[in-house]
């Protein structure tokens, strides 16, 4: 770079700039007495003054654009900060709504089942290829969860805890054939068993079987847990949508649509303790 300052081009450029500056200063001094456009002097000075104004205008334009660019950067920064704040507020609002819904469901169930102890959890993973809609929640053994704890969505039974880690747990849903749930028809009190099958899971339904030939189960009846096995009694399971005869065994069975909307689950409640849980767990 220091060799450039010694070159002939640089020296000529500096000389021209000095001439322009001197001429501009002279123009400014004389312009108070003589108009640049009058006579021979005006003809000589006019190009230099135009050049000076052109340079001055260019500098002013560059300065204005630079200031505009700086202002735009500051405005963009402010808007990004406001957007980040709005996103934080949105997350806080969603969490507040979730907590309020949890406490509402909690209080409603507590009025009927004061012995229940709950832990709320959020769904964090779900395998879209799993036909039984099993999923993972963000609570585990450090939150008091244990294998076979019942899982609910609001007042509806979803399934149970299949396996537990320190900070997460996997939930098996009612659609899975791994679950065999003792139930009753809430209208007729007819007993039966609920389990899942691959075919019915594709329709978001489960099978109600082991029904007596004399049972009065009908379409539209509500099915609730009977209290046998690992689930407490009285949990809402689903609604009967069809009653059929099994041609192979000459028995009656029904199909039931679970109340819990498994495809849209975001939060759940895990029943970590209830009266008689130990004996039911042992029997299960």
């Amino acid at each position: 770079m220091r060799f450039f300052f010694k070159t002939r081009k640089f020296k000529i450029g500096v000389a021209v700039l000095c001439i322009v500056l001197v001429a501009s200063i002279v123009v400014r001094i004389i312009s108070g007495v003589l108009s640049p456009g009058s006579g021979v002097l005006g003809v000589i000075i006019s190009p230099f003054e135009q050049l000076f104004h052109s340079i001055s205008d260019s500098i002013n334009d560059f300065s204005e654009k630079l200031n505009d660019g700086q202002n735009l950067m500051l405005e963009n920064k402010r808007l990004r900060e406001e957007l980040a704040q709005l996103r934080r507020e949105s997350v806080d609002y969603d969490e507040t709504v979730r907590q309020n819904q949890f406490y509402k469901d909690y209080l409603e169930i507590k009025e009927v089942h004061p012995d229940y102890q709950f832990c709320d959890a959020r769904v964090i993973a779900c395998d879209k290829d799993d036909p039984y809609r099993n999923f993972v929640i963000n609570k585990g053994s450090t939150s008091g969860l244990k294998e076979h704890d019942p899982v609910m969505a609001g007042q509806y039974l979803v399934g149970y805890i299949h396996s537990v880690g320190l900070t997460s747990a996997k939930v098996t849903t009612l659609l899975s054939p791994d679950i065999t749930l003792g139930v009753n028809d809430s209208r007729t009190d007819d007993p039966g068993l609920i389990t899942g099958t691959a075919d019915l899971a594709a329709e978001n339904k489960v099978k109600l079987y082991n029904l007596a030939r004399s049972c009065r189960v009908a379409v539209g009846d509500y099915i609730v847990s009977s209290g046998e096995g690992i689930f407490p009694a009285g949990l809402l399971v689903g609604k009967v949508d069809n009653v059929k005869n099994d041609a192979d065994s000459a028995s009656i069975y029904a199909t039931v649509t679970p109340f819990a909307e498994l495809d849209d689950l975001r939060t759940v409640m895990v029943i970590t303790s209830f009266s008689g849980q130990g004996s039911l767990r042992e029997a299960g």
Side-chain angles (χ1 to χ4, degrees), residues 191-238:
L193 295 173
I194 286 284
T195 193
T197 68
D199 293 339
L200 289 176
E203 303 176 24
N204 195 39
K205 297 178 181 180
V206 294
K207 183 177 181 179
L208 171 59
Y209 69 103
N210 204 36
L211 296 171
R213 293 289 300 176
S214 59
C215 75
R216 294 176 293 138
V217 174
V219 173
D221 287 355
Y222 284 9
I223 303 301
V224 299
S225 58
S226 64
E228 299 176 6
I230 61 175
F231 299 98
L235 302 181
L236 289 169
V237 176

Side-chain angles (χ1 to χ4, degrees), residues 99-117:
Q99 286 288 347
N100 288 341
Q101 185 61 47
F102 167 76
Y103 289 124
K104 177 178 179 293
D105 296 334
Y106 172 83
L107 292 174
E108 289 178 353
I109 298 174
K110 268 289 191 179
E111 290 181 0
V112 182
H113 304 285
D115 56 306
Y116 288 6
Q117 298 297 320

Side-chain angles (χ1 to χ4, degrees), residues 94-111 116-122 138-139 143 145 150-155 266-272:
D94 292 341
E95 180 63 18
T96 301
V97 170
R98 187 185 72 81
Q99 286 288 347
N100 288 341
Q101 185 61 47
F102 167 76
Y103 289 124
K104 177 178 179 293
D105 296 334
Y106 172 83
L107 292 174
E108 289 178 353
I109 298 174
K110 268 289 191 179
E111 290 181 0
Y116 288 6
Q117 298 297 320
F118 292 104
C119 175
D120 69 313
R122 185 183 294 109
N138 67 337
K139 297 292 178 65
S143 300
L145 272 60
V151 178
M152 301 183 67
Q155 300 186 47
R266 297 293 180 270
T267 59
V268 294
M269 293 190 298
V270 181
I271 305 177
T272 58

Side-chain angles (χ1 to χ4, degrees), residues 162-273:
H162 176 268
S163 57
V164 183
L166 289 175
T167 58
S168 64
K170 185 174 181 180
V171 178
T172 296
T173 71
L174 293 173
L175 300 181
S176 172
D178 293 337
I179 285 185
T180 301
L181 168 64
V183 295
N184 292 109
D185 186 309
S186 64
R187 180 181 64 87
T188 66
D189 206 33
D190 285 309
L193 295 173
I194 286 284
T195 193
T197 68
D199 293 339
L200 289 176
E203 303 176 24
N204 195 39
K205 297 178 181 180
V206 294
K207 183 177 181 179
L208 171 59
Y209 69 103
N210 204 36
L211 296 171
R213 293 289 300 176
S214 59
C215 75
R216 294 176 293 138
V217 174
V219 173
D221 287 355
Y222 284 9
I223 303 301
V224 299
S225 58
S226 64
E228 299 176 6
I230 61 175
F231 299 98
L235 302 181
L236 289 169
V237 176
K239 184 170 68 172
V240 176
D241 56 46
N242 206 343
V243 179
K244 301 180 179 180
N245 289 311
D246 192 331
D248 295 333
S249 61
S251 62
I252 294 176
Y253 74 96
T255 56
V256 175
T257 300
F259 287 123
E261 297 180 1
L262 301 178
D263 290 329
D264 298 323
L265 283 182
R266 297 293 180 270
T267 59
V268 294
M269 293 190 298
V270 181
I271 305 177
T272 58
S273 176

Side-chain angles (χ1 to χ4, degrees), residues 64-81:
E64 290 177 0
K65 291 179 180 178
L66 182 62
N67 289 333
D68 290 342
Q70 291 175 340
N71 292 334
L72 182 60
M73 290 176 61
L74 293 174
E75 180 67 12
N76 287 339
K77 181 181 179 182
R78 184 184 65 80
L79 291 175
R80 286 196 299 270
E81 291 174 349

